[in-house]
Amino acid sequence: MRRLLALLPAALVAILAFGGQGTRAQVPPPSGTERARIEWNKNNDIDLHVFDDAGNEAYYGQPNAIPEATLSSDVTSVGGPETFTDQRDPSTRHFRYQVCYFSEGGTPADQGPTDITVTLSDPGKEQRKSVVTLNQAGDCLPIGESQGAAPTPTPTPTPTPTPPPLQTGPPPPVQGSTVNVGVVKGKVRIKRRGSSTFEELVGLEQIPVGSTIDATSGRVRLTSAADKSGATKVAEFYEGAFQVNQSKGSPLTELKLTGGNFTSCQTSKKTGKASAAAKTPVRRLWGSGKGSFRTRGRHAAATVRGTQWLTQDTCAGTLVRVKKGIVAVKDFRTKKTVNVKAGKSYLAH
């Protein structure tokens, strides 16, 4: 009998915890209004970007950048979906949307042009569906905007002049002419083309091609034109300074490393060897993003479409290290191009 009584508490706990399949507690679905959804037809990585009227942008790296709204987890394969949900009730805000082709799948069938089904919702109205096509990794395309449901009517106030439209950030970048930059974190300085002084970058700005960006103490997000249609490409750069260049007829954006003191690389006339300080990096730049970008050091240039990579000038040469994706490295001395995969590096002497 004592043994039976000792077993009763454990049995009661089990009954209360599980209670049978019909009484199991259910996790409620997330609240809010789904405003946008994308799905795609191939096993590759497509991303949804969302912009609000305050200049905020939610994307795979900052899914909660827009207050009281959520971008779903980054889906890197299987066709999605990725969704954007406004948590405000009622959902009355205005949003703009963009899709970007980050990287291709691992099989030939998954590569090349990809069709994306876009569903945009305005509360109280019918959903709008459309299909857009992105041709290759690195391409981005605006896919429209949505306006929230009208708020509850209020008494008509005394007529006042119509206020100017809300500022939504700088205009789109122009190929070969301008790029848009914004601070992700830390301190970022810019020296506009034609200026001799640096100024601190605050928020989002548009700067001319040929300007210099110092992100040694911060992280900057750079958006440049992919072509003349309005499509853009986006990447983030950090731990270095660079001059941003782009020709009018090319979608390629080049980041040329600047700064650094190479006097330690001078060799001794007697020994023919560089000083001990020559083993340390002179200058470097990390990059992470999507689109046709090229980082240029003293002895090599690295061209990417969607990856994370380091370009570092040392006295021994230019080192390119790849953390994600594949980088095409052009060696200026040998005049050869070498493909460097994730986890590998290449030194151009």
Side-chain angles (χ1 to χ4, degrees):
M1 177 62 72
R2 282 196 298 268
R3 184 178 180 183
L4 179 60
L5 291 175
L7 291 175
L8 281 176
L12 287 173
V13 169
I15 293 171
L16 291 174
F18 297 99
Q21 214 166 6
T23 60
R24 186 185 298 270
Q26 301 294 320
V27 177
S31 60
T33 302
E34 183 178 293
R35 298 291 297 275
R37 172 183 290 261
I38 61 169
E39 300 170 277
W40 50 98
N41 67 336
K42 292 184 178 180
N43 187 35
N44 48 28
D45 189 356
I46 305 294
D47 290 322
L48 175 64
H49 293 244
V50 185
F51 307 82
D52 68 4
D53 286 338
N56 299 309
E57 177 182 0
Y59 67 105
Y60 65 95
Q62 298 187 44
N64 300 311
I66 296 177
E68 298 180 72
T70 304
L71 185 65
S72 63
S73 300
D74 185 23
V75 178
T76 59
S77 61
V78 304
E82 289 191 10
T83 61
F84 173 73
T85 302
D86 186 11
Q87 307 294 341
R88 289 189 181 177
D89 185 18
S91 178
T92 59
R93 289 185 284 179
H94 170 260
F95 300 106
R96 294 180 293 115
Y97 308 99
Q98 184 184 62
V99 288
C100 291
Y101 192 158
F102 180 74
S103 61
E104 297 177 327
T107 66
D110 294 323
Q111 298 168 1
T114 300
D115 294 332
I116 300 104
T117 300
V118 179
T119 304
L120 303 182
S121 301
D122 288 327
K125 300 180 181 179
E126 292 185 359
Q127 291 183 334
R128 291 173 287 140
K129 284 194 174 184
S130 61
V131 178
V132 299
T133 301
L134 294 178
N135 293 320
Q136 59 186 358
D139 289 351
C140 293
L141 187 68
I143 55 173
E145 53 190 288
S146 65
Q147 179 66 54
T152 304
T154 56
T156 304
T158 303
T160 57
T162 303
L166 289 173
Q167 178 65 34
T168 59
V174 178
Q175 190 176 39
S177 179
T178 60
V179 296
N180 292 351
V181 291
V183 179
V184 177
K185 65 178 180 179
K187 182 178 180 180
V188 177
R189 301 188 305 154
I190 57 174
K191 182 171 68 176
R192 300 175 187 272
R193 185 184 64 203
S195 174
S196 59
T197 58
F198 279 93
E199 59 184 270
E200 186 171 353
L201 175 63
V202 179
L204 298 172
E205 292 190 33
Q206 186 169 94
I207 61 175
V209 166
S211 299
T212 299
I213 300 174
D214 182 356
T216 54
S217 300
R219 187 173 180 127
V220 64
R221 192 155 192 258
L222 188 149
T223 303
S224 58
D227 52 39
K228 296 181 180 180
S229 70
T232 60
K233 52 194 175 180
V234 181
E236 294 181 2
F237 299 94
Y238 50 100
E239 294 186 17
F242 59 92
Q243 183 185 61
V244 55
N245 297 302
Q246 184 185 43
S247 63
K248 292 185 178 180
S250 171
L252 186 66
T253 303
E254 181 178 88
L255 301 314
K256 183 180 179 181
L257 273 63
T258 61
N261 187 348
F262 288 89
T263 57
S264 63
C265 298
Q266 296 176 355
T267 58
S268 167
K269 291 182 179 180
K270 292 183 179 181
T271 65
K273 296 181 179 180
S275 65
K279 296 181 180 180
T280 61
V282 178
R283 60 189 182 189
R284 65 192 306 186
L285 181 67
W286 276 99
S288 176
K290 312 171 183 184
S292 299
F293 290 93
R294 178 171 64 201
T295 48
R296 184 184 185 93
R298 297 183 86 192
H299 305 285
T303 303
V304 305
R305 280 199 172 276
T307 184
Q308 186 175 7
W309 78 106
L310 168 71
T311 307
Q312 180 171 280
D313 277 335
T314 69
C315 293
T318 298
L319 174 71
V320 177
R321 179 178 299 137
V322 182
K323 190 172 183 180
K324 178 181 179 183
I326 299 177
V327 174
V329 179
K330 176 65 180 291
D331 190 318
F332 298 153
R333 183 176 64 87
T334 64
K335 302 186 186 306
K336 293 182 179 180
T337 299
V338 179
N339 288 326
V340 183
K341 298 181 179 180
K344 303 295 183 179
S345 60
Y346 179 86
L347 177 65
H349 292 280

